[in-house]
Amino acid sequence: MAERKMHDIFVYGTLKKGQPNYHIMTDPNHGKAVFKGIGRTIDKYPLVIAHKANIPFLLNIPGKGHHIAGEIYSVDDQMLQFLDEFESCPDMYQRTIKRIEILEWGGKDDSPEGRAAANTIECFVYSTTSYLPEWLNLPYLDCYDSYGTHGLRYINRLDR
Ligand code: PCA
């Protein structure tokens, strides 16, 4: 059987390990996601917590804000499609390709040759160009944590 195509995706928000939606990445019913390592956006972006549900949004304004920390996964078509629906893409977020600096390889099957060959990788990222102007005045984060000292805990869909 032909191998299914995998896609590199960089997550910076609630999909990261230890964050409220990480369980999605590990649920085989949604497809496959393989952790590859941790990274940081090459470009700077504003990352804000907005909306009454305290949702992290990476605003697609390169050059403004900080280099954003996150995790790199390799996902199959099924998981990518599930994530698009979950993230209300393209309405709430748009999935675009951004260049990510690899800070630490974490995957089991990344060969030493592979490690040496590249320290950046192009990944899909959920960011948005549809934001309210006042979001630009919110604090810009560089590493999202729902449970951080900001006190703005993410509110699950079902609890909104
Ligand atoms: N989920 C996606 C985009 C923001 C969010 O909470 C992510 O973690 O990258």
Side-chain angles (χ1 to χ4, degrees):
M1 200 170 87
E3 201 178 306
R4 293 262 182 104
K5 190 169 163 18
M6 298 291 280
H7 313 271
D8 292 322
I9 182 164
F10 173 81
V11 302
Y12 60 86
T14 59
L15 293 172
K16 291 190 297 186
K17 286 181 189 178
Q19 298 300 316
N21 292 325
Y22 176 61
H23 60 93
I24 288 170
M25 305 291 278
T26 57
D27 187 339
N29 294 316
H30 302 147
K32 198 174 161 190
V34 182
F35 177 69
K36 290 186 85 165
I38 63 168
R40 184 165 65 186
T41 58
I42 293 277
D43 285 323
K44 296 179 175 181
Y45 296 95
L47 168 58
V48 299
I49 299 176
H51 188 271
K52 59 181 178 346
N54 297 329
I55 300 171
F57 286 101
L58 194 153
L59 310 184
N60 202 353
I61 313 172
K64 201 177 167 85
H66 303 289
H67 302 284
I68 306 301
E71 298 171 357
I72 302 156
Y73 290 83
S74 180
V75 300
D76 66 3
D77 288 329
Q78 191 194 349
M79 180 64 81
L80 192 62
Q81 203 183 331
F82 186 90
L83 291 173
D84 278 357
E85 277 165 38
F86 181 79
E87 301 295 355
S88 305
C89 177
D91 301 327
M92 197 156 86
Y93 295 93
Q94 300 84 47
R95 175 163 54 80
T96 60
I97 288 177
K98 304 203 182 302
R99 187 156 281 279
I100 304 301
E101 179 188 2
I102 300 160
L103 298 176
E104 204 181 299
W105 286 106
K108 287 193 285 262
D109 41 44
D110 292 311
S111 67
E113 305 86 72
R115 288 168 203 230
N119 61 352
T120 73
I121 184 171
E122 301 228 298
C123 293
F124 285 128
V125 182
Y126 293 105
S127 69
T128 189
T129 50
S130 44
Y131 53 86
L132 297 173
E134 56 261 36
W135 291 8
L136 290 171
N137 303 323
L138 295 169
Y140 296 167
L141 312 175
D142 59 0
C143 183
Y144 173 76
D145 179 9
S146 171
Y147 313 103
T149 52
H150 48 67
L152 301 169
R153 279 207 188 185
Y154 175 77
I155 300 169
N156 280 307
R157 277 216 191 153
L158 296 172
D159 302 331
R160 283 177 205 165

